Amino acid sequence: MTHVLTLNSGEQLHYQLAHRQRRSVGLKITATGLVVHAPKRISQAELEGIIAQKADWVRKKLAAMLANQVPAMRWQHGEALLFLGQNMTLAIAHDLQSKAVVHEPGFLFVALPQPQDAKLVARKVILWYKKQALQDFTRRLEIFSSKLGANFASLTLSNAGSRWGSCNSRKEIRLNWRLLQAPPHIINYVVCHELAHLKEMNHSAKFWAIVASLCPDYKMAEKELKSLSATLHRI
Ligand SMILES: [Zn+2]
């Protein structure tokens, strides 16, 4: 059930209240907002006093969550997609046959017999991304591995939830195809990071020195990648 708490400042806090078999009051921020878990016997006044004390924390967490919320992709005509950090508009057209996806500056053209079928549109576009990612990442790996003077064995595209890349002792590199949406300097950073593992299979100071030699602005790129993460996982 949703409750509203009016703070001394006049500000209103909305929260979902659930009574639980517990001794203390627990607050958490979920996708739907503030959820309060309270012991069964607590009075409303006591409960509201505790929530009011944590108002700053709640405000901060809610703001952070809103900033990270990215609207879900609906795969409709006119929606925005990202490619190497640039916006492109998804243009979906009806055609009697499913056509190859065409990329022109600012646009991605998709034509198929079922233009309303979001799943089919998504599948076509994601296949296109993967194909481009394989070409793009291979080229970057080749450039930076020759700078580094170490060879990688293979590149595989990954679909991992949170990892952007990996490199194992067999020198096999995996990179998340979603990175192709990111600006080039961020892709370069991930490529350099994984290549540096060819020489150092750890995250030691020596490892970061190798990353820095290939990619001097890696710290900025790493931060940017973190803040972009939710956006890149939209598809
Ligand atoms: Zn690493």
Side-chain angles (χ1 to χ4, degrees):
M1 186 183 165
T2 302
H3 294 255
V4 183
L5 166 62
T6 305
L7 300 170
N8 288 337
S9 61
E11 182 191 354
Q12 290 190 322
L13 269 187
H14 294 252
Y15 64 96
Q16 307 277 329
L17 177 61
H19 286 285
R20 292 278 189 275
Q21 205 83 46
R22 55 182 291 157
R23 281 164 187 237
S24 61
V25 174
L27 274 67
K28 66 175 181 182
I29 306 296
T30 70
T32 54
L34 173 61
V35 175
V36 177
H37 286 163
K40 291 196 167 134
R41 283 166 188 267
I42 196 166
S43 73
Q44 192 63 18
E46 195 183 341
L47 177 66
E48 294 193 342
I50 292 170
I51 299 172
Q53 271 176 18
K54 303 211 169 150
D56 276 341
W57 177 86
V58 170
R59 222 176 278 124
K60 248 187 233 161
K61 288 280 175 178
L62 283 174
M65 191 195 66
L66 281 175
N68 273 320
Q69 250 174 15
V70 181
M73 187 74 193
R74 289 172 305 150
W75 300 103
Q76 287 180 355
H77 182 73
E79 270 187 296
L81 287 166
L82 276 171
F83 177 69
L84 295 173
Q86 304 283 323
N87 267 315
M88 58 181 184
T89 303
L90 176 60
I92 306 173
H94 175 263
D95 201 298
L96 292 175
Q97 285 180 330
S98 189
K99 295 276 173 71
V101 173
V102 176
H103 176 226
E104 279 173 23
F107 290 94
L108 194 70
F109 296 99
V110 178
L112 68 171
Q114 311 89 344
Q116 314 288 357
D117 191 328
K119 268 194 184 154
L120 281 183
V121 172
R123 195 182 305 157
K124 265 179 92 73
V125 172
I126 287 168
L127 269 175
W128 177 83
Y129 268 106
K130 289 180 175 171
K131 201 172 156 194
Q132 309 306 310
L134 203 56
Q135 283 180 12
D136 181 278
F137 300 168
T138 302
R139 193 174 50 86
R140 289 178 205 275
L141 281 167
E142 282 167 356
I143 292 168
F144 286 104
S145 72
S146 76
K147 269 192 187 175
L148 177 68
N151 286 319
F152 63 101
S154 62
L155 164 66
T156 311
L157 294 179
S158 81
N159 199 24
S162 56
R163 272 184 109 172
W164 291 113
S166 66
C167 176
N168 62 24
S169 56
R170 293 186 298 277
K171 304 184 182 219
E172 296 161 342
I173 288 180
R174 293 169 70 84
L175 295 170
N176 194 317
W177 60 268
R178 290 185 181 84
L179 271 176
L180 193 68
Q181 300 169 92
H185 68 280
I186 292 179
I187 308 175
N188 288 345
Y189 158 64
V190 179
V191 162
C192 294
H193 181 122
E194 300 315 334
L195 285 171
H197 281 313
L198 293 173
K199 296 208 163 172
E200 288 289 327
M201 281 309 277
N202 51 50
H203 291 122
S204 61
K206 232 171 154 185
F207 166 82
W208 288 112
I210 298 169
V211 175
S213 73
L214 294 170
C215 178
D217 292 329
Y218 75 92
K219 277 187 184 158
M220 275 293 287
E222 199 182 24
K223 265 191 205 152
E224 277 181 67
L225 178 57
K226 260 193 196 136
S227 62
L228 258 180
S229 184
T231 307
L232 302 185
H233 280 100
R234 203 172 152 234
I235 62 170

